Amino acid sequence: MAEQRTSMAGQRTRRRTVAGALGAVALTAGAITTGLTLPTASAATWPTPSGTPQAVTKSISVSGTLDGGMKRYYGSGDLGSGGQDEGQDPLFDLKDGATLKNVILGAPAADGVHCAGSCTLQNVWWEDVGEDAATFRGTGKTYNVIGGGARKASDKVFQFNGGGTLTISGFAVQDFGKLVRSCGNCSSQYKRTINVSNTEVTAPGKAIGGINTNYGDSLTLRGITIVGDSGKKIVPCQKYIGNNTGKEPTENGSGPDGTYCKYSASDISYK
């Protein structure tokens, strides 16, 4: 297991003013660790890594809490291909109930973070998403993403393979395929509940969430800000008919319906 570190960033609360038209206050490690009310993360401002970057040649197993102190971790050796191949190992492998916080994942990032069961990702930043930023597994578990951000995800940021509830709050995402996808063709399928709030989404991007209506999934959106998408091409909620055979799932419409896609026009603003 990697050595657990005391967060230098957690010893102080720093506020950053975002340049340009966003006018939002970025999340800081200090705000996370002190439990303050968190503003929406800003895709325009990214944290500066502290200390010496750490190469990861074998997945770091995490039980309990690992506080990275805002250090940058990146893949090397078997984790250093930087490709999009399925089935890669993660940089961090979280056991059921584990917390990973104040960490920056640089490039290459392999398959990011795996959660074997319930987990919390707190103020975790992906500078260049590899295969996926994080994958959530287990049955009937609770997964929380609090603060942080991800960019340069050619496909998915968060892959939801397990069953239970995933809550994403105060997050920033830019240049991505989908922010979160309920697995469309896993061999074991579950009902999945996804909540996304106080999150800033910056184009280009395809969809905030993708869910399977035939398994009873739902996606709730609150306080979403979409930046740089004047044509409104980013789909807030894309519905699919999922399967457990490995075939590509088929689309099943999009837009609010009160059952699967739970949001209204007032829950999404454009800048």
Side-chain angles (χ1 to χ4, degrees):
M1 180 186 300
E3 178 184 357
Q4 297 187 9
R5 308 172 191 277
T6 301
S7 170
M8 295 176 62
Q11 296 174 4
R12 61 188 184 277
T13 302
R14 295 175 295 175
R15 296 176 65 88
R16 298 185 180 95
T17 302
V18 178
L22 298 183
V25 179
L27 285 172
T28 65
I32 293 288
T33 56
T34 55
L36 299 177
T37 299
L38 302 178
T40 302
S42 170
T45 301
W46 287 71
T48 301
S50 64
T52 303
Q54 180 172 328
V56 180
T57 58
K58 182 179 179 181
S59 299
I60 298 172
S61 180
V62 180
S63 296
T65 298
L66 189 155
D67 186 334
M70 300 311 293
K71 175 178 282 190
R72 176 189 283 132
Y73 295 80
Y74 65 94
S76 182
D78 290 342
L79 297 178
S81 70
Q84 288 291 316
D85 296 339
E86 295 289 334
Q88 295 183 58
D89 289 331
L91 297 189
F92 294 93
D93 194 356
L94 275 57
K95 305 305 180 185
D96 192 9
T99 295
L100 178 68
K101 65 181 183 179
N102 301 326
V103 163
I104 298 172
L105 279 73
D111 201 26
V113 178
H114 286 183
C115 288
S118 295
C119 69
T120 298
L121 306 181
Q122 198 172 42
N123 201 36
V124 177
W125 299 81
W126 290 262
E127 295 178 326
D128 189 338
V129 173
E131 182 184 344
D132 297 314
T135 302
F136 305 101
R137 300 172 175 175
T139 305
K141 300 296 183 178
T142 300
Y143 318 89
N144 293 293
V145 178
I146 305 170
R151 60 188 176 190
K152 300 180 182 178
S154 61
D155 191 5
K156 305 168 298 293
V157 176
F158 297 122
Q159 175 71 30
F160 196 178
N161 288 350
T165 300
L166 168 61
T167 299
I168 302 167
S169 61
F171 198 74
V173 62
Q174 61 175 299
D175 191 5
F176 65 103
K178 295 180 181 70
L179 171 59
V180 57
R181 176 67 171 104
S182 179
C183 185
N185 54 14
C186 286
S187 58
S188 295
Q189 291 285 26
Y190 311 95
K191 177 180 179 180
R192 302 176 177 100
T193 301
I194 303 171
N195 304 300
V196 182
S197 64
N198 299 328
T199 289
E200 185 168 271
V201 176
T202 300
K206 294 180 180 179
I208 295 175
I211 57 174
N212 305 313
T213 57
N214 57 317
Y215 294 120
D217 294 354
S218 66
L219 170 64
T220 300
L221 302 175
R222 298 288 186 268
I224 306 299
T225 301
I226 299 180
V227 179
D229 185 28
S230 59
K232 297 186 178 181
K233 294 182 179 180
I234 297 175
V235 178
C237 182
Q238 178 65 57
K239 292 175 274 192
Y240 293 89
I241 299 295
N243 64 75
N244 60 0
T245 64
K247 295 181 179 179
E248 241 353 88
T250 57
E251 292 186 354
N252 189 34
S254 62
D257 56 27
T259 301
Y260 307 108
C261 295
K262 300 180 179 181
Y263 67 95
S264 62
S266 62
D267 292 309
I268 300 176
S269 61
Y270 289 83
K271 289 187 178 180

